[in-house]
Amino acid sequence: MQGFITYVLILSFISPCICIRVKYVTENNTYNVMQYGAIGDGKSDDTQAFSRAWNSACNAGGMSTLVIPSEKSFFVTKVNFSGPCDSKILIQFEGKIVAPCKQEWRGESYLITIEYLNGLTIDGNGLGEVDGNGSTWWDCPNCDRPGLFHFHSCNNLTVSNLAISNSPRAHVSANHCNGATFSNISIDSPAHSPNTDGFDISASTNISIQDSNIKSGDDCIAINGGSYFVNVTRITCGPGHGISVGSLGKHNANDQVSDIYVWNCTFTGSTNGARIKTVPGGSGYAKNITYEQIILENVTNPIIIDQDYRDLEETPSVLVSSVTYRGFKGTFVNKVAIKLDCSSSGCLDILLDQNNIVSAEEGGKTFVFCRNAHGTARDTIPQVNCLSE
């Protein structure tokens, strides 16, 4: 017994960090990736350290915090934060994660996969970053390019205060999630980067995206089939392809989207503003969609419904109905300010109200196009006389 006590005393002198580390983890349920072998120099592979830290946090029970510390850069080949967990987890994401280049990629579909979790919070405190190294992929548009963040089957999720840049493909995707809030997210990829959507939402409900700045080579936000009750608020978009519902009905799919509310957003130099796009041959519906209080700065297509997406032959398509465009103000750089190009099924119950969209070119002509579009326009510039009741 005396020899054991002597051994413990010696160990405490030669390895005080071990004692402090154990005490820190067990008392505070805080798990820092540095304590699990991460180097944080941006070059050494820290993948396994992230995995070990996550396993400890996930299995801890109660409340636990996974720390990705500031002023460190972590090179990882893939990150899988999977549940279910015994803990309710906060990821304190204040460092930087760097993705491998194309030649070093290991074949995963996403750099960071987060799945089967309830009540997860990720907070970057304005410091957390992810760099996707996408420039090594963009010159290969037909490659199976990966995305950065993928959230699957996460409920009551909160993600905030992160900067995400240069994704090879989509920056953030959410699938089969219920109750998720994304706020104060900065997304930054150049206009020429292919398919780099800011957010892809699919088969998810009660989703909020707010107070964020998105620059991308594709949709700033794409809301896809199976999505309901999605709120998009105080977003700046551009460059990018706008805030889109769809595309819906690809590969003859039955896609359903409803109760989408986009409010107080700004589009600057984007290809589109408010877009609904469907593919002929599909079925389902897109309904109860509102775009309201929208600022336009040199947007190519401010308001567009495109049911002839990819120029396929005209066939019945996803039914578009109960769509409101209210309070659009600003400039555009195309000839057609409002394009409502609907399939033979028609777009029903379209409302344009209190809009003022003018050409960025002094004296530039402004046109409106409707095909199979039904609804009402009031107090709108340019005048929309092509809608039928």
Side-chain angles (χ1 to χ4, degrees), residues 87-324:
S87 309
K88 187 175 182 180
I89 301 176
L90 163 67
I91 300 179
Q92 189 175 310
F93 191 150
E94 298 182 354
K96 182 177 183 179
I97 287 180
V98 179
C101 65
K102 180 176 180 290
Q103 292 72 22
E104 297 173 323
W105 196 264
R106 293 188 179 179
E108 297 289 327
S109 298
Y110 301 93
L111 178 68
I112 302 170
T113 300
I114 300 172
E115 56 186 355
Y116 306 114
L117 293 165
N118 294 325
L120 174 69
T121 297
I122 303 175
D123 191 350
N125 290 317
L127 301 172
E129 297 181 59
V130 179
D131 186 342
N133 216 345
S135 61
T136 64
W137 291 87
W138 295 332
D139 62 352
C140 185
N142 295 322
C143 289
D144 187 14
R145 289 170 287 117
L148 289 186
F149 273 99
H150 180 59
F151 296 92
H152 176 71
S153 293
C154 292
N155 301 320
N156 301 318
L157 169 72
T158 302
V159 182
S160 60
N161 303 307
L162 288 175
I164 309 169
S165 62
N166 300 317
S167 179
R169 192 166 47 92
H171 291 76
V172 179
S173 64
N175 175 257
H176 288 283
C177 294
N178 180 24
T181 298
F182 300 91
S183 63
N184 294 291
I185 307 295
S186 173
I187 290 176
D188 192 355
S189 285
H192 68 269
S193 57
N195 305 114
T196 53
D197 290 357
F199 287 87
D200 275 340
I201 309 299
S202 61
S204 295
T205 57
N206 299 306
I207 306 298
S208 178
I209 305 171
Q210 59 193 34
D211 300 303
S212 297
N213 183 25
I214 304 172
K215 300 176 181 178
S216 74
D218 208 310
D219 292 325
C220 290
I221 299 172
I223 302 167
N224 298 300
S227 297
Y228 311 95
F229 298 100
V230 178
N231 288 330
V232 178
T233 307
R234 297 181 299 276
I235 301 298
T236 61
C237 170
H241 295 181
I243 296 178
S244 299
V245 174
S247 55
L248 305 177
K250 289 188 291 188
H251 310 300
N252 297 321
N254 181 285
D255 283 329
Q256 301 173 3
V257 172
S258 72
D259 298 283
I260 310 301
Y261 186 50
V262 180
W263 178 75
N264 194 14
C265 294
T266 298
F267 298 91
T268 302
S270 57
T271 305
N272 305 293
R275 175 164 67 162
I276 299 172
K277 52 180 179 175
T278 74
V279 176
S283 59
Y285 59 77
K287 65 180 181 180
N288 298 335
I289 299 166
T290 297
Y291 290 89
E292 187 169 10
Q293 300 303 317
I294 304 298
I295 302 299
L296 306 166
E297 298 177 6
N298 299 334
V299 175
T300 304
N301 302 300
I303 294 174
I304 178 170
I305 297 177
D306 187 357
Q307 292 207 275
D308 197 25
Y309 190 53
R310 297 181 182 170
D311 298 324
L312 301 178
E313 64 182 17
E314 183 180 4
T315 59
S317 185
V318 175
L319 180 62
V320 175
S321 65
S322 300
V323 182
T324 297

Side-chain angles (χ1 to χ4, degrees), residues 63-81:
M63 301 288 296
S64 63
T65 300
L66 176 71
V67 177
I68 303 171
S70 62
E71 301 181 356
K72 295 289 183 180
S73 183
F74 301 95
F75 173 79
V76 295
T77 56
K78 60 181 179 180
V79 175
N80 291 313
F81 293 156

